[in-house]
Amino acid sequence: MILVDDAGKAFPSINHAPWFGVTLADFVMPFFLFGVGVSVTLVFKKVPSKPEAMKKVVIRSIRLFLLGLILQGGYFHGRDDLTYGVDLGKIRWMGVLQRISIGYFLASIMEIWLVNNVAVDSVVTFVRRYYFQLVLASLLGALYMVLLYFLYIPSWSFQLLNLKVESIPGYRSGNQTVQCGVRGSLEPACNAVGLIDRYVLGQQHLYQRPVYRRTKECSVNSPDYGPLPADAPGWCLAPFDPEGILSSLMAAITCFVGLHYGHILVHVQGEMERVKLWFLTSIPLLILGFGLEVLGIPFSKPLYTLSYMFITAGASGFLLTIIFYIVDVKCIRKPTVIFQWMGMNALITYALAACDLFPAALQGFYWRSPENNLVDFTERLFQTIFHSKKWGTLGFVLLEILFWGVIAGFLHMKRVYIKL
């Protein structure tokens, strides 16, 4: 996440796809969710008291959601902005940790309550033990597809507060109307995901700089952010939340796929047997993802389409298989130790690094002008050394990742682990 978020501005090809398609950045969120599913299986391998376990799940889910609200609700303004604070009437309700909390909550419910008391000694008993989980995952997926393709999307309007838009043909301050009146549209302006968020969360509580502002219709610098083209459609300035309610239901299914991989880890003892089963599960998921894309269901992270869910879940399983084979089967652990450290303190690394809390705080100490701070100076130094703005930025980001790896390693040596 640090790599794609911080280096994506220099390399738009690894940044999130503007709407349809997938890039390296679009695999990060599913990897998180998949890992949550695997972890939930290990945590609830044995459940002495279901009510007590459920109490812990509810508390942890609320903590995750509230932390996400603090980090991404608008209170912190990120790097290059020395201000902070948020209008509670415009706070963003959803975000990365909020989506993870929803996936964690639903996956934990399934693992606590929807497991049959059947001893696993064959494929048949494996299916019987987790049959209800498969049914619930299928029902959630079906609900998502029905709403996405059959919910009527009326025309709607949003308010433009920036007076500068008057200089752009076709725009005016005040209300901007988006013409829809369709069903089954997956386009940025008229889709069920945005409709549900607007009605439930409210437009003022959605993400105000959606990824589709990097599409060709909305940016002269596409696939990067840029000025609006002269003929830009009105919806280019409309709010949209990439971690919305409906898309989070489909995202939770990625957690359920992680549960399945965790079940294999729990019930299958042979390491190479695990590798084979994980590999044989990952391949069909990838094929399904590509097949659905060919059949007309495009990859889209903002909508978390069915094809996107399958291809990213398959990639998650495939990556887990490779890492498990290298680290646990072949016992090649030294090259991956920095990732182990960061994984054991993922929450603090995410908050301070990926959410820019530490760089923004460090920028608060500057010499005479806000631009003369240690963070920007280091990045400019790398750009000078590499004689390239984008390669210098990449070098700076890699140094940043190494820095946080060392910090995580120090915390590990001190046996300090920050968790909720």
Side-chain angles (χ1 to χ4, degrees), residues 275 278-279 315-328:
V275 169
W278 282 343
F279 180 79
S316 302
F318 193 65
L319 182 62
L320 173 66
T321 305
I322 293 174
I323 294 174
F324 182 82
Y325 180 78
I326 294 173
V327 176
D328 290 89

Side-chain angles (χ1 to χ4, degrees), residues 154-199:
S155 298
W156 58 286
S157 61
F158 63 96
Q159 191 173 20
L160 289 174
L161 301 177
N162 188 355
L163 297 177
K164 293 181 180 179
V165 299
E166 292 180 339
S167 62
I168 304 174
Y171 284 83
R172 66 183 186 278
S173 296
N175 288 334
Q176 184 78 26
T177 300
V178 180
Q179 300 296 332
C180 293
V182 295
R183 283 187 174 88
S185 172
L186 303 184
E187 296 300 321
C190 306
N191 58 76
V193 173
L195 173 69
I196 291 174
D197 289 338
R198 290 192 296 272
Y199 273 100

Side-chain angles (χ1 to χ4, degrees), residues 159-351:
Q159 191 173 20
L160 289 174
L161 301 177
N162 188 355
L163 297 177
K164 293 181 180 179
V165 299
E166 292 180 339
S167 62
I168 304 174
Y171 284 83
R172 66 183 186 278
S173 296
N175 288 334
Q176 184 78 26
T177 300
V178 180
Q179 300 296 332
C180 293
V182 295
R183 283 187 174 88
S185 172
L186 303 184
E187 296 300 321
C190 306
N191 58 76
V193 173
L195 173 69
I196 291 174
D197 289 338
R198 290 192 296 272
Y199 273 100
V200 178
L201 302 174
Q203 293 183 27
Q204 68 275 22
H205 297 292
L206 304 182
Y207 189 51
Q208 299 299 313
R209 200 165 181 248
V211 69
Y212 55 65
R213 290 197 185 180
R214 295 194 286 108
T215 60
K216 292 180 180 180
E217 295 91 340
C218 301
S219 172
V220 296
N221 296 332
S222 181
D224 198 3
Y225 287 105
L228 290 166
D231 58 347
W235 51 261
C236 283
L237 298 179
F240 179 87
D241 208 304
E243 281 86 37
I245 297 172
L246 183 58
S247 56
S248 290
L249 289 182
M250 179 59 78
I253 299 179
T254 304
C255 290
F256 303 159
V257 176
L259 285 179
H260 171 72
Y261 281 74
H263 295 152
I264 293 175
L265 186 62
V266 169
H267 295 292
V268 178
Q269 299 306 313
E271 291 179 339
M272 283 308 299
E273 284 299 312
R274 293 170 179 168
V275 169
K276 291 176 184 177
L277 289 172
W278 282 343
F279 180 79
L280 292 174
T281 303
S282 302
I283 296 302
L285 289 172
L286 292 169
I287 293 174
L288 276 170
F290 281 112
L292 289 172
E293 203 271 341
V294 171
L295 293 175
I297 301 179
F299 302 132
S300 176
K301 177 190 176 292
L303 298 177
Y304 219 103
T305 53
L306 188 62
S307 59
Y308 172 77
M309 186 278 293
F310 275 124
I311 192 173
T312 53
S316 302
F318 193 65
L319 182 62
L320 173 66
T321 305
I322 293 174
I323 294 174
F324 182 82
Y325 180 78
I326 294 173
V327 176
D328 290 89
V329 177
K330 292 299 183 180
C331 297
I332 303 175
R333 298 181 178 179
K334 288 185 178 180
T336 62
V337 68
I338 189 172
F339 302 119
Q340 178 188 350
W341 294 339
M342 295 178 79
M344 296 175 79
N345 258 308
L347 190 62
I348 190 68
T349 306
Y350 171 78

Side-chain angles (χ1 to χ4, degrees), residues 63-97:
R63 287 174 176 173
L64 267 175
F65 195 95
L66 291 177
L67 180 60
L69 202 60
I70 293 171
L71 293 176
Q72 293 191 306
Y75 182 81
F76 296 104
H77 299 170
R79 186 178 161 184
D80 299 324
D81 193 334
L82 300 183
T83 64
Y84 64 89
V86 62
D87 180 353
L88 293 178
K90 299 178 181 179
I91 192 170
R92 182 189 175 200
W93 294 120
M94 302 299 285
V96 173
L97 287 183

Side-chain angles (χ1 to χ4, degrees), residues 50 112-120 125 128-130 132:
K50 291 184 178 181
I112 293 170
W113 298 100
L114 299 182
V115 176
N116 289 320
N117 190 19
V118 177
V120 175
T125 54
R128 285 178 58 195
R129 183 175 176 86
Y130 300 110
F132 289 115

Side-chain angles (χ1 to χ4, degrees), residues 362-374 380:
L362 203 58
Q363 284 183 318
F365 298 94
Y366 57 86
W367 177 256
R368 296 183 177 178
S369 174
E371 294 78 22
N372 299 327
N373 60 77
L374 182 61
R380 289 195 297 266

